[in-house]
Amino acid sequence: MKKIILCLMFALIGLSANAQWETVYYPNTNFLLPWLNAVAFHDFNNGFAVGRDDDGHGYNSRILKTTDNGTHWDTVYSAADTLAFSDVTFTNDTTAFAVAHREYCCSDTGLIAKTSDFGLTWTITPSHVGLNSISFPSANIGYTVGNSGTILKTIDAGTTWNPLNSGISVGLQSIYFINDTIGFACGGDTIMKTTNGGISWVIQRIMSYMGANKIYFPADSVGY
């Protein structure tokens, strides 16, 4: 299963056959355009995009869905809240997870959303911290990270989430697991690695004036 993540602001864009970019989502609205933070495709046609928007009365957390390779997008989840979805990932054809954090205030508030029917319904699990990234190396085992060095792990496909000790207090922005036990997380001036499913982490520092916001491994031994 391939996962594609792009960070977007205001519009979703698609890559055409001649390597040019074209806008495929630009809603007709008199208010601020949606702020979309991540997109994930399970296959060529089916994907989600997540973020938040402003309908003129306040902020709304939002999840969009496409079934035609990004030609059309429909809202499949919306809630009047200052929570903004920050990441989304698939675990199989119909199951996906998204995580959110509170914008502008209250960094101790977030949520995990799960769908098992490709977005028709969503189960919401509140968290006591804003969450920024999520990774499922297999159908049952998943990890999510957020503010204050938070790392949560599930071994039952998201039914329960348990905290792991990261050993740091810096906000973690991204997490990526190569398999169920080997993974990486980053945030601020820190990059971390675990080889035992998050029980312990080896911490590396990068230049203090640099911020690590996203981590990805296209191969087991190569990461960016």
Side-chain angles (χ1 to χ4, degrees):
M1 179 178 66
K2 296 182 178 179
K3 178 183 177 185
I4 305 170
I5 297 180
L6 300 174
C7 292
L8 310 175
M9 183 173 68
F10 299 143
L12 291 177
I13 50 182
L15 185 63
S16 64
N18 61 356
Q20 299 296 312
W21 291 90
E22 59 179 306
T23 300
V24 296
Y25 179 77
Y26 196 93
N28 182 14
T29 174
N30 294 324
F31 306 106
L32 295 175
L33 292 173
W35 187 293
L36 301 171
N37 295 316
V39 59
F41 272 70
H42 173 67
D43 52 40
F44 184 78
N45 288 310
N46 299 296
F48 291 116
V50 298
R52 57 94 171 155
D53 62 25
D54 183 355
D55 64 3
H57 303 287
Y59 291 109
N60 300 277
S61 54
R62 189 170 297 276
I63 300 176
L64 304 173
K65 169 185 170 181
T66 181
T67 58
D68 55 11
N69 190 227
T71 302
H72 300 94
W73 294 84
D74 298 309
T75 296
V76 291
Y77 178 89
S78 179
D81 205 324
T82 55
L83 280 170
F85 284 103
S86 47
D87 198 14
V88 60
T89 189
F90 280 90
T91 60
N92 59 37
D93 290 351
T94 58
T95 303
F97 290 81
V99 292
H101 62 278
R102 179 88 69 191
E103 290 196 332
Y104 309 118
C105 71
C106 313
S107 62
D108 59 347
T109 305
L111 64 81
I112 303 169
K114 176 184 178 180
T115 180
S116 299
D117 51 18
F118 192 37
L120 293 178
T121 59
W122 293 85
T123 300
I124 303 300
T125 301
S127 69
H128 296 297
V129 66
L131 299 173
N132 301 316
S133 179
I134 189 167
S135 176
F136 267 80
S138 61
N140 291 319
I141 296 179
Y143 302 83
T144 181
V145 296
N147 298 330
S148 304
T150 296
I151 305 176
L152 304 178
K153 178 179 180 179
T154 181
I155 58 174
D156 54 14
T159 301
T160 57
W161 293 86
N162 297 303
L164 301 175
N165 183 13
S166 68
I168 63 172
S169 59
V170 66
L172 292 171
Q173 301 298 319
S174 182
I175 190 165
Y176 188 90
F177 268 73
I178 296 171
N179 54 44
D180 286 351
T181 57
I182 300 176
F184 300 82
C186 68
D189 65 348
T190 301
I191 298 176
M192 308 191 308
K193 177 183 179 180
T194 181
T195 58
N196 55 15
I199 295 173
S200 60
W201 296 83
V202 176
I203 298 174
Q204 296 179 334
R205 304 292 182 184
I206 58 176
M207 297 178 185
S208 59
Y209 57 84
M210 300 178 69
N213 293 318
K214 188 68 181 177
I215 194 162
Y216 178 74
F217 274 72
D220 288 357
S221 59
V222 179
Y224 297 88

